[in-house]
């Protein structure tokens, strides 16, 4: 496999407007572009910010407000996965918006448990069911997971993702707003894990395997 660089954004959820959320996303996108990343994954509901788990989710933001993210995906030739509410069965649920260099507007998906990515084919398959029960095409080389959880849920989530990575022989990238974002290789080995704070976790796949790094953002 040729060189491939990916990243996960990590930061505490913000109390702010959609416009300010988009501007904050752009800061991470520009930092990832400087590192020549081809993929950037944001935490769960990243375009919404702080939300109590028991609160009803608001309507998704107007697509026009997200245009800067679509433009950035094209400009930097980067696939971007951000989190937002999505309407499904007459209610608003957690979902993701997918921005990519080959699309002029984002695709949105409800109840996403993650996404499988085949870099060589420019293909992405969003996982709506529990990932442990799916069949993964060998063409897919990365599974991404967007979270916003703390202990003890974080411990069980990372354990499941590591086991999933080993079981399906696929690298796993997790972006968690509340810390411990991580990358595991195809054997389930931890390559890099973040502590807490605002940062960019990066991973690079080379013919010799995965390497990782942590880049603080102010």
């Amino acid at each position: 496999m040729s060189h491939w660089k990916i990243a996960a954004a990590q930061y505490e959820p913000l109390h702010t407007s959609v416009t300010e959320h988009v501007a904050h996303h752009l800061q991470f996108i520009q930092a990832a572009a400087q590192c020549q990343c081809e993929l950037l994954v944001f935490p769960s509901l990243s375009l919404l910010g702080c939300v109590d788990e028991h609160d009803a989710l608001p309507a998704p933001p107007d697509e026009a407000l997200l245009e800067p993210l679509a433009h950035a995906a094209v400009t930097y030739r980067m696939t971007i996965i951000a989190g937002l509410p999505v309407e499904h069965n007459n209610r608003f649920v957690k979902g993701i918006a997918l921005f990519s260099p080959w699309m002029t507007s984002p695709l949105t998906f409800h109840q996403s448990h993650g996404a499988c990515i085949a870099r060589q084919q420019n293909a992405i398959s969003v996982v709506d069911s529990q990932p442990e029960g799916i069949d993964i095409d060998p063409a897919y080389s990365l599974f991404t997971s967007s979270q916003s959880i703390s202990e003890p849920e974080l411990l069980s989530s990372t354990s499941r993702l590591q086991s999933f990575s080993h079981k399906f022989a696929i690298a796993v990238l997790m972006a968690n707003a509340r810390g411990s974002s991580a990358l595991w290789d195809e054997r389930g080995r931890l390559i890099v894990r973040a502590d807490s704070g605002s940062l960019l976790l990066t991973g690079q796949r080379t013919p010799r395997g995965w390497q990782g790094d942590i880049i603080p953002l102010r």
Side-chain angles (χ1 to χ4, degrees):
M1 178 185 288
S2 61
H3 291 255
W4 185 30
K5 200 159 188 183
I6 61 178
Q10 176 181 295
Y11 55 90
E12 282 292 327
L14 308 174
H15 294 277
T16 188
S17 68
V18 173
T19 300
E20 290 170 313
H21 276 304
V22 169
H24 190 245
H25 278 54
L26 290 174
Q27 293 176 14
F28 278 87
I29 292 168
Q30 289 161 3
Q34 290 175 357
C35 296
Q36 298 181 313
C37 293
E38 297 176 47
L39 169 72
L40 175 58
V41 181
F42 283 89
S44 176
L45 294 176
S46 62
L47 288 165
L48 179 59
C50 286
V51 129
D52 188 286
E53 199 161 310
H54 303 291
D55 289 347
L57 295 179
D62 190 291
E63 188 174 302
L65 295 176
L66 307 182
E67 195 281 331
L69 300 181
H71 178 73
V74 174
T75 299
Y76 298 119
R77 301 193 61 77
M78 183 188 303
T79 298
I80 301 163
I81 298 176
L84 77 178
V86 174
E87 186 173 6
H88 180 65
N89 290 338
N90 297 316
R91 65 190 185 101
F92 301 122
V93 300
K94 289 183 180 180
I96 63 171
L98 172 65
F99 304 85
S100 107
W102 59 88
M103 296 186 303
T104 56
S105 59
L107 297 177
T108 57
F109 303 88
H110 69 276
Q111 294 287 26
S112 168
H113 287 277
C116 291
I117 298 172
R119 182 213 184 193
Q120 301 299 331
Q121 300 178 4
N122 283 341
I124 295 179
S125 175
V126 174
V127 179
D128 284 335
S129 59
Q130 289 294 337
E132 291 82 357
I134 67 173
D135 292 323
I136 296 180
D137 188 313
Y140 291 104
S141 53
L142 180 72
F143 178 79
T144 69
S145 176
S146 298
Q147 309 275 356
S148 183
I149 53 176
S150 304
E151 298 291 0
E153 292 85 1
L154 178 58
L155 182 61
S156 60
S157 178
T158 54
S159 177
R160 285 196 306 271
L161 288 171
Q162 185 172 23
S163 297
F164 174 83
S165 173
H166 182 266
K167 177 181 178 180
F168 292 99
I170 189 170
V172 172
L173 176 67
M174 178 187 73
N176 184 41
R178 301 181 188 278
S180 296
S181 297
L183 171 67
W184 295 270
D185 72 4
E186 296 85 355
R187 297 182 183 180
R189 297 179 300 192
L190 180 66
I191 301 301
V192 60
R193 172 176 286 151
D195 190 3
S196 59
S198 180
L199 55 85
L200 199 66
L201 179 146
T202 65
Q204 185 169 19
R205 180 68 164 89
T206 74
R208 293 180 294 176
W210 285 98
Q211 300 174 338
D213 197 9
I214 302 294
I215 301 171
L217 268 74
R218 296 184 183 276

